Amino acid sequence: MTGRKFNVIDLFCGCGGFSLGFERAGFNVILGIDVWEDALSTFRFNHKRSVGLRADLSVLSPEETKHLLGGQSVDIIIGGPPCQGFSIAGKRIVDDLRNKLYKNFVHFVGYYKPMAFVMENVPNILSIGDGIVRQSVLSDFSELGYTVEFKILTASDYGVPQNRRRAIFVGFRNGTHFKFPAPLESPKVTSEEAISDLPENSLDDGSLYPCSPRSQYQKLMRANSLTVNNHQATVHNQKTKDIIALVPDGGNYKDLPEELRQTRKVHIAWTRLNSKKPSFTIDTGHRHHFHYSYNRIPTARESARIQSFPDDFFFTCSRTSQLKQIGNAVPPLMSEAIAGALLSQL
């Protein structure tokens, strides 16, 4: 190895969680591509040395991106193609029109021929249609000359205070069989350890922290930041607050009186974080999950902490948009663990 950093393209980059993990592991992210301008706005703000391209990856050809690279090689391609087409079973799914996004990920790998690629997706990509999608993924990349390994990883095994599970595929062009990073041996980070230093009420962006860090994880998240951003609390109506107040730490709709259980028609409704455990999967902000003690949904900053975004990572656009950006992201600490393992095996 010459000492130069390996160059990365992040397809479907979103706000940049996957990229951030790779940067922290020592890679150079040269290009991020996404179709959603809000997420790209955040990506560009936080990845100032990367190009952020707005484009539809169902139709964008790799050739159209070459001029953005400044003559640099592409060593690694990473990304999580949205998986709408993978969510239905049956023989047709592999060629489902909605899987153009996945197929174009394959096309980019075939065009740039990077040393390795990392693709993340929903866990059931491995089991849908009796494994037909998984087999298709393996054969698509082996036809391009890649040796592919796959595994379902749980984010809380890598220091993320969240039990998010993702299927990860890693392929090497030189025949290497990727070895996935071993889970950390330290205790899992709890929701309380993640966010207990953030107050119940809103803070203006740029406010000083109201208290000292209360856990090692909070010290880690605050390491490069002197101020709090993206901590604007949602003010719910009184009826909503009264119902949330009936749910204990770690509880859900089953803790409510019978007449209140049906007030929201989803099984995840009225669920509180459990302060003593990692969070359940942070979603894209559909407002059914609540703080373990405050009678409100988590703020964008609290959600970002639960995803392992450090406090110096700033989210742009509206609060609703911020929550969606965060929910769609790859947790940076899990990404960093994958990237570190990749770097040691390149």
Side-chain angles (χ1 to χ4, degrees), residues 149-212:
E149 299 295 329
F150 62 88
K151 191 173 186 179
I152 292 176
L153 299 186
T154 302
S156 59
D157 285 337
Y158 302 98
V160 181
Q162 180 185 187
N163 287 324
R164 176 179 293 239
R165 298 168 71 248
R166 301 302 279 178
I168 308 291
F169 292 83
V170 183
F172 275 99
R173 216 179 69 206
N174 66 0
T176 297
H177 289 268
F178 180 67
K179 293 186 188 68
F180 282 89
L184 299 176
E185 292 182 4
S186 50
K188 296 193 174 194
V189 181
T190 67
S191 299
E192 186 174 35
E193 289 170 327
I195 64 175
S196 64
D197 61 328
L198 297 169
E200 180 170 7
N201 297 321
S202 297
L203 292 173
D204 291 333
D205 285 350
S207 296
L208 295 174
Y209 289 101
C211 65
S212 301

Side-chain angles (χ1 to χ4, degrees), residues 202-208 227-232 314-315 322:
S202 297
L203 292 173
D204 291 333
D205 285 350
S207 296
L208 295 174
T227 59
V228 184
N229 295 299
N230 305 122
H231 188 69
Q232 283 76 45
F314 184 79
F315 295 88
Q322 290 169 18

Side-chain angles (χ1 to χ4, degrees), residues 134-328:
R134 180 186 69 223
Q135 280 313 121
S136 171
V137 171
L138 295 177
S139 64
D140 284 346
F141 287 112
S142 64
E143 279 171 28
L144 295 176
Y146 287 84
T147 304
V148 184
E149 299 295 329
F150 62 88
K151 191 173 186 179
I152 292 176
L153 299 186
T154 302
S156 59
D157 285 337
Y158 302 98
V160 181
Q162 180 185 187
N163 287 324
R164 176 179 293 239
R165 298 168 71 248
R166 301 302 279 178
I168 308 291
F169 292 83
V170 183
F172 275 99
R173 216 179 69 206
N174 66 0
T176 297
H177 289 268
F178 180 67
K179 293 186 188 68
F180 282 89
L184 299 176
E185 292 182 4
S186 50
K188 296 193 174 194
V189 181
T190 67
S191 299
E192 186 174 35
E193 289 170 327
I195 64 175
S196 64
D197 61 328
L198 297 169
E200 180 170 7
N201 297 321
S202 297
L203 292 173
D204 291 333
D205 285 350
S207 296
L208 295 174
Y209 289 101
C211 65
S212 301
R214 295 172 175 169
S215 68
Q216 284 303 118
Y217 182 79
Q218 290 168 18
K219 280 185 190 167
L220 178 67
M221 293 295 104
R222 288 163 65 156
N224 296 312
S225 184
L226 297 171
T227 59
V228 184
N229 295 299
N230 305 122
H231 188 69
Q232 283 76 45
T234 299
V235 180
H236 300 282
N237 66 44
Q238 193 57 48
K239 183 187 175 195
T240 298
K241 286 196 279 195
D242 290 345
I243 295 176
I244 305 168
L246 296 172
V247 179
D249 182 339
N252 59 29
Y253 72 96
K254 294 175 186 171
D255 295 295
L256 294 172
E258 194 67 50
E259 68 273 14
L260 291 175
R261 289 187 188 181
Q262 296 305 310
T263 47
R264 295 190 178 185
K265 297 288 187 190
V266 286
H267 71 283
I268 52 167
W270 307 112
T271 302
R272 273 205 197 267
L273 294 169
N274 186 320
S275 63
K276 304 304 178 197
K277 292 180 178 176
S279 168
F280 35 71
T281 299
I282 284 287
D283 60 13
T284 55
H286 66 26
R287 302 167 71 89
H288 296 299
H289 296 152
F290 299 94
H291 193 283
Y292 55 80
S293 67
Y294 305 146
N295 296 329
R296 58 164 174 75
I297 62 169
T299 65
R301 180 51 54 198
E302 287 164 344
S303 297
R305 284 274 189 90
I306 287 167
Q307 276 278 54
S308 76
F309 280 98
D311 287 7
D312 63 336
F313 195 98
F314 184 79
F315 295 88
T316 66
C317 305
S318 72
R319 209 172 358 169
T320 303
S321 172
Q322 290 169 18
L323 290 171
K324 186 175 176 186
Q325 292 173 45
I326 294 162
N328 281 334

